[in-house]
Amino acid sequence: MTVTVTKLEAASRQLDTAIRLFFSGGDTVSVHTLAVAAANIFADIAERQNAGVSWRTRVRDDSGLSTKELKRILHDEWNFFKHADRELNATLQFNELVSEDVMFMAVLDCGDLQSTTCPMQAFQIWYIAARPEHFLGDEQIFADARRVLPDISQLERSQKIQRGALLLNNIAPE
C-alpha cells in the first residue's frame, strides 16, 4: 500500500511523534532525530516561502553565528544518530535539552506555515511555562502558558515533563 504525503504533512507527523515520545518518556535519541528532521523541513520551507526567514535564521542572526556554525550545533547529534560512514566506534555526549529547543523552533516555524496540531500547541505552552526566563515580555501567550501550568518552572525536569504529559493527554488524548 502506498501513501501520498506532502513535506509539511511529513514534518508535522514527525514532530507530533517526537512530542508524544518526549512526554511519554520515550527514547531520547528517537525524539531528537524526529525533531531535527521535522525542524529542518519546516525551516527549509519557511526560508523558501518567507524570503529566507525561519526561526532557524532568526536564531542565527540573534546569536551572531554563521549559518555553517549554527547548522553544526543543531545537527551534530542528528548526524551522529543517522550516519556510520566514519568513526564507527565514536561516542557522543548528548544534551537532551537541545531536543526541546529544536522542537520549540519547529513548532514556531510550523505555525508560520500552517496551523499547528494539538500536540504542538501543548508543547509550546509547556516550553514557555517551563522556561520563563526565555520569555520576559508581556505577550498574552506567555501569561496564558504560566496560567495553564503555574509554577512548573520550579519543578525538577522529570516532573516538568510529567506535567506536560498531563497537558498533552488533556488536549490531545491518543
Side-chain angles (χ1 to χ4, degrees):
M1 179 162 95
T2 60
V3 177
T4 302
V5 62
T6 68
K7 295 282 188 175
L8 285 174
E9 289 168 337
S12 292
R13 289 166 65 172
Q14 289 171 330
L15 185 54
D16 282 351
T17 300
I19 290 167
R20 287 191 183 282
L21 277 173
F22 172 75
F23 282 133
S24 70
D27 181 68
T28 57
V29 170
S30 297
V31 168
H32 190 79
T33 302
L34 288 164
V36 175
N40 281 328
I41 292 171
F42 287 132
D44 289 346
I45 293 172
E47 289 167 15
R48 274 245 158 120
Q49 291 184 358
N50 301 328
V53 177
S54 69
W55 285 93
R56 180 175 62 194
T57 59
R58 290 174 180 146
V59 167
R60 181 202 64 206
D61 294 346
D62 289 348
S63 67
L65 296 169
S66 69
T67 298
K68 183 179 180 179
E69 182 63 12
L70 179 63
K71 283 188 176 183
R72 186 198 61 74
I73 291 168
L74 293 175
H75 295 164
D76 270 355
E77 290 93 352
W78 187 52
N79 286 325
F80 182 88
F81 299 148
K82 291 188 332 176
H83 303 292
D85 54 343
R86 4 175 234 266
E87 301 177 18
L88 299 177
N89 296 317
T91 59
L92 174 75
Q93 294 293 319
F94 174 48
N95 181 351
E96 296 174 356
L97 294 177
V98 173
S99 301
E100 296 173 21
D101 298 333
V102 169
M103 285 189 285
F104 185 69
M105 286 189 337
V107 169
L108 295 176
D109 273 332
C110 178
D112 287 344
L113 297 167
Q114 64 181 13
S115 297
T116 55
T117 64
C118 289
M120 291 178 207
Q121 292 166 17
F123 183 82
Q124 184 176 18
I125 291 167
W126 175 85
Y127 186 91
I128 292 168
R131 296 185 174 188
E133 67 277 6
H134 296 303
F135 304 97
L136 302 177
D138 58 358
E139 292 185 45
Q140 188 61 45
I141 191 168
F142 302 163
D144 290 344
R146 289 188 290 268
R147 182 181 45 76
V148 170
L149 294 170
D151 302 321
I152 191 173
S153 64
Q154 308 304 314
L155 301 174
E156 296 292 324
R157 183 168 184 267
S158 63
Q159 294 172 312
K160 289 178 186 179
I161 293 170
Q162 288 173 353
R163 292 274 304 277
L166 291 173
L167 175 65
L168 176 61
N169 289 332
N170 285 331
I171 292 176
E174 284 192 80

